[in-house]
Amino acid sequence: MVRPEPYRIKMVEPIRLISREERERRIAEAGYNLFALRAEDVFIDLLTDSGTGAMSDAQWAALLRGDESYAGSRSFSRLQETVRELTGYRYVLPTHQGRGAEHVLFPLLITRPGQLVIGNLHFDTTRAHIQLAGGRPVDLVIPEAYDTTVDHPFKGNLDVDRLEALLKSTPRDAVAFILVTVTCNSAGGQPVSLANLRAVRAVADKYGVPVFLDAARFAENAYFIKMREPGYAGRSIPSIVKEMFSYADGLTMSAKKDGLVNIGGLLALRDDEDLFRRCQARLVPFEGFPTYGGLAGRDMEALAEGLREAVDEDHLAARIGQVERFGRWLEEAGVPVQRPIGGHAVYVDAKRFLPHVPPHQFPAQALAVELYREAGVRGVEVGSFLLGRDEEGRQQTAPMEFLRLAVPRRTYTDNHLRYAAEALERIMARRDAIGGFRIVYEPPVLRHFTAHLAPVSAGCPQPFANELLTED
Ligand code: P71
């Protein structure tokens, strides 16, 4: 039986498909980097689900109720109360977005250069903040995550045996903390089970290591637990959310995802008053006074409402159901995708889609460019292009080459996604003719945002490009 969305649409924003000739020109002008496109030149934007969703009428109303007092804002109190209720944590600090929370917290936990931060699979900006704070990110997701053809209900799980082996063989002061990302973005929006969080907590306690959650998609994770984890079918989403957070000492959160707002973030701690004071002391110079921390009062008001809507089961069923349908249409068209379908996006396996394009010619980027050319649909590469170089400047090879098609919350209809799926089906039929790319310009950090590329077949327009790409 069809389960319709639990909302109707009150406002629309026109979008427009420019001609194929224009798209060809725009993407070439953008240096074949989809981040450099003007958004008006994109028809359906699946670049990210971050800050791109639609707010509800209740959230728009909340904006007008925002209390813009510099200190002691009523909107902060409301946000604090909501977060306390959802997480069971005592200390709540608002930040401008997720990386703001990372920037405040990580340097306080990473106290010596080279300390490990162990996670399932760290997201790229998170990885960058660990490194900026002097730490070393370590990914210990279960091996099933790396095989897109294998079905596993909780592909975001952290490999607890390897965690224990690592903690056993490493001096305690060489490890800063454990950070579990729920859902696990880099593995394909894959959930982490409560059993896994519980096991991580037990091992962490044995070795005295703190545990944090990177909670950008906490509600989607809870929905998967309800659907898939034995014993949880009858439990409410808020009670699952609370149990998830009960296994950690605190969270960082980009509220731009499950928080259902266009900007915002959170740092929350269960009960460590000393760490809270130290976070507060960093929050003030980098983000803002503790009762706004980088957000307007109206932003906090809309976030408090968004967090309540995020844990509504009907909302989650519609949201995850839509992503699931999108994935199914792609699979039916023969497009190889990460299985099972994740919570916020479908991850096309570009290694299997374009087996003739080697990793260092960025097959997922080639596919992203092709999808824009074909249909004006914008996805994003999550593979070797995004991963970048090692300390010696060598291009690293990502374990997976994904074209991520992220679905903004409450924003596109099924027809928009069907159109995107049909475009990929057409590309599938002529995939042998699609070639790779090389980088002709790149900045030293987080290069994927601003790098320029060129088709490999078009020769090398700049003399240093070959040198940059020597890989073996
Ligand atoms: C996503 C993003 C945002 C993004 C990043 C790179 C290119 C395009 C868009 C951000 C996350 C995230 C997790 C698990 C922390 C952040 C940073 N994701 N943790 O997936 O997914 O949050 O953007 O609010 O600073 O598109 P922030």
Side-chain angles (χ1 to χ4, degrees), residues 323-389:
V323 177
E324 164 82 35
R325 287 192 295 282
F326 185 28
R328 204 166 56 230
W329 297 326
L330 286 164
E331 285 200 285
E332 284 164 9
V335 175
V337 298
Q338 168 72 303
R339 286 208 47 88
I341 304 302
H344 67 292
V346 178
Y347 290 66
V348 178
D349 184 343
K351 266 193 212 171
R352 282 159 60 211
F353 198 114
L354 299 175
H356 56 283
V357 179
H360 292 190
Q361 292 182 12
F362 314 123
Q365 182 66 19
L367 197 52
V369 168
E370 203 50 39
L371 181 59
Y372 175 73
R373 279 187 178 133
E374 175 70 26
V377 174
R378 173 159 71 171
V380 72
E381 194 257 19
V382 179
S384 296
F385 177 49
L386 180 127
L387 186 62
R389 298 178 181 278

Side-chain angles (χ1 to χ4, degrees), residues 35 48 50 97-99 102 123 125-126 181 185 214 217 254 256-257 404 449:
F35 284 102
T48 178
S50 181
Q97 59 184 77
R99 66 199 75 178
E102 293 167 359
F123 187 66
T125 54
T126 310
T181 304
N185 189 0
D214 179 346
R217 300 178 181 86
S254 168
K256 300 169 70 173
K257 286 84 172 174
R404 187 186 75 172
F449 290 118

Side-chain angles (χ1 to χ4, degrees), residues 35-81:
F35 284 102
L37 289 170
R38 297 190 320 175
E40 303 122 87
D41 296 332
V42 175
F43 184 39
I44 294 171
D45 203 350
L46 308 183
L47 179 75
T48 178
D49 64 319
S50 181
T52 52
M55 291 208 298
S56 65
D57 56 353
Q59 286 181 288
W60 282 103
L63 291 180
L64 291 177
R65 286 199 309 268
D67 173 359
E68 305 302 343
S69 304
Y70 191 98
S73 161
R74 182 183 64 230
S75 302
F76 169 73
S77 302
R78 201 164 283 153
L79 176 61
Q80 176 176 252
E81 190 189 316

Side-chain angles (χ1 to χ4, degrees), residues 158-169:
L158 201 145
D159 190 329
V160 178
D161 292 340
R162 276 159 71 217
L163 173 68
E164 170 127 41
L166 180 60
L167 292 179
K168 205 173 189 170
S169 64

Side-chain angles (χ1 to χ4, degrees), residues 191-427:
V192 178
S193 70
L194 280 174
N196 190 250
L197 289 175
R198 207 175 296 128
V200 167
R201 175 83 258 176
V203 173
D205 282 346
K206 191 165 152 192
Y207 294 90
V209 180
V211 179
F212 285 79
L213 294 189
D214 179 346
R217 300 178 181 86
F218 73 99
E220 291 168 4
N221 198 85
Y223 183 78
F224 281 122
I225 288 170
K226 181 169 170 112
M227 292 299 124
R228 296 180 185 172
E229 189 153 354
Y232 287 90
R235 286 270 296 271
S236 74
I237 297 294
S239 83
I240 295 173
V241 164
K242 207 167 221 162
E243 187 171 341
M244 280 166 54
F245 287 119
S246 77
Y247 299 123
D249 300 296
L251 64 85
T252 56
M253 185 192 295
S254 168
K256 300 169 70 173
K257 286 84 172 174
D258 277 348
L260 295 170
V261 287
N262 304 115
I263 194 73
L266 288 168
L267 169 55
L269 303 173
R270 196 224 307 268
D271 54 14
D272 187 337
E273 188 180 348
D274 174 58
L275 183 58
F276 167 66
R277 296 284 165 224
R278 289 185 295 134
C279 286
Q280 223 181 22
R282 277 178 64 81
L283 190 82
V284 174
F286 291 119
E287 295 285 313
F289 186 76
T291 60
Y292 73 84
L295 294 175
R298 56 178 169 271
D299 294 333
M300 294 188 286
E301 198 76 43
L303 174 55
E305 172 62 25
L307 287 169
R308 290 178 193 280
E309 294 176 13
V311 295
D312 176 74
E313 197 178 322
D314 290 335
H315 155 68
L316 288 165
R319 192 280 184 285
I320 290 175
Q322 187 185 41
V323 177
E324 164 82 35
R325 287 192 295 282
F326 185 28
R328 204 166 56 230
W329 297 326
L330 286 164
E331 285 200 285
E332 284 164 9
V335 175
V337 298
Q338 168 72 303
R339 286 208 47 88
I341 304 302
H344 67 292
V346 178
Y347 290 66
V348 178
D349 184 343
K351 266 193 212 171
R352 282 159 60 211
F353 198 114
L354 299 175
H356 56 283
V357 179
H360 292 190
Q361 292 182 12
F362 314 123
Q365 182 66 19
L367 197 52
V369 168
E370 203 50 39
L371 181 59
Y372 175 73
R373 279 187 178 133
E374 175 70 26
V377 174
R378 173 159 71 171
V380 72
E381 194 257 19
V382 179
S384 296
F385 177 49
L386 180 127
L387 186 62
R389 298 178 181 278
D390 65 14
E391 279 123 40
E392 275 82 53
R394 280 183 305 253
Q395 173 65 52
Q396 302 178 81
T397 304
M400 296 169 281
E401 302 289 343
F402 285 132
L403 165 61
R404 187 186 75 172
L405 302 171
V407 182
R409 294 167 184 77
R410 313 190 287 206
T411 301
Y412 290 113
T413 67
D414 278 18
N415 269 338
H416 289 116
L417 301 182
R418 236 183 225 286
Y419 166 89
E422 284 175 6
L424 269 169
E425 183 172 14
R426 291 193 298 277
I427 295 169

Side-chain angles (χ1 to χ4, degrees), residues 38-180:
R38 297 190 320 175
E40 303 122 87
D41 296 332
V42 175
F43 184 39
I44 294 171
D45 203 350
L46 308 183
L47 179 75
T48 178
D49 64 319
S50 181
T52 52
M55 291 208 298
S56 65
D57 56 353
Q59 286 181 288
W60 282 103
L63 291 180
L64 291 177
R65 286 199 309 268
D67 173 359
E68 305 302 343
S69 304
Y70 191 98
S73 161
R74 182 183 64 230
S75 302
F76 169 73
S77 302
R78 201 164 283 153
L79 176 61
Q80 176 176 252
E81 190 189 316
T82 305
V83 175
R84 282 179 171 169
E85 203 179 297
L86 271 178
T87 61
Y89 293 170
R90 180 179 170 86
Y91 300 111
V92 181
L93 297 164
T95 61
H96 79 281
Q97 59 184 77
R99 66 199 75 178
E102 293 167 359
H103 181 223
V104 169
L105 179 69
F106 292 179
L108 295 172
L109 298 176
I110 301 167
T111 52
R112 284 201 356 216
Q115 273 185 329
L116 308 182
V117 178
I118 306 169
N120 39 1
L121 261 185
H122 297 298
F123 187 66
D124 64 340
T125 54
T126 310
R127 184 181 302 276
H129 269 293
I130 292 168
Q131 287 165 335
L132 283 169
R136 266 183 47 210
V138 179
D139 295 324
L140 287 184
V141 73
I142 56 168
E144 287 88 340
Y146 295 106
D147 186 342
T148 58
T149 63
V150 169
D151 263 317
H152 185 293
F154 294 102
K155 264 192 177 175
N157 280 356
L158 201 145
D159 190 329
V160 178
D161 292 340
R162 276 159 71 217
L163 173 68
E164 170 127 41
L166 180 60
L167 292 179
K168 205 173 189 170
S169 64
T170 312
R172 168 61 192 92
D173 63 357
V175 179
F177 62 106
I178 295 168
L179 181 68
V180 186

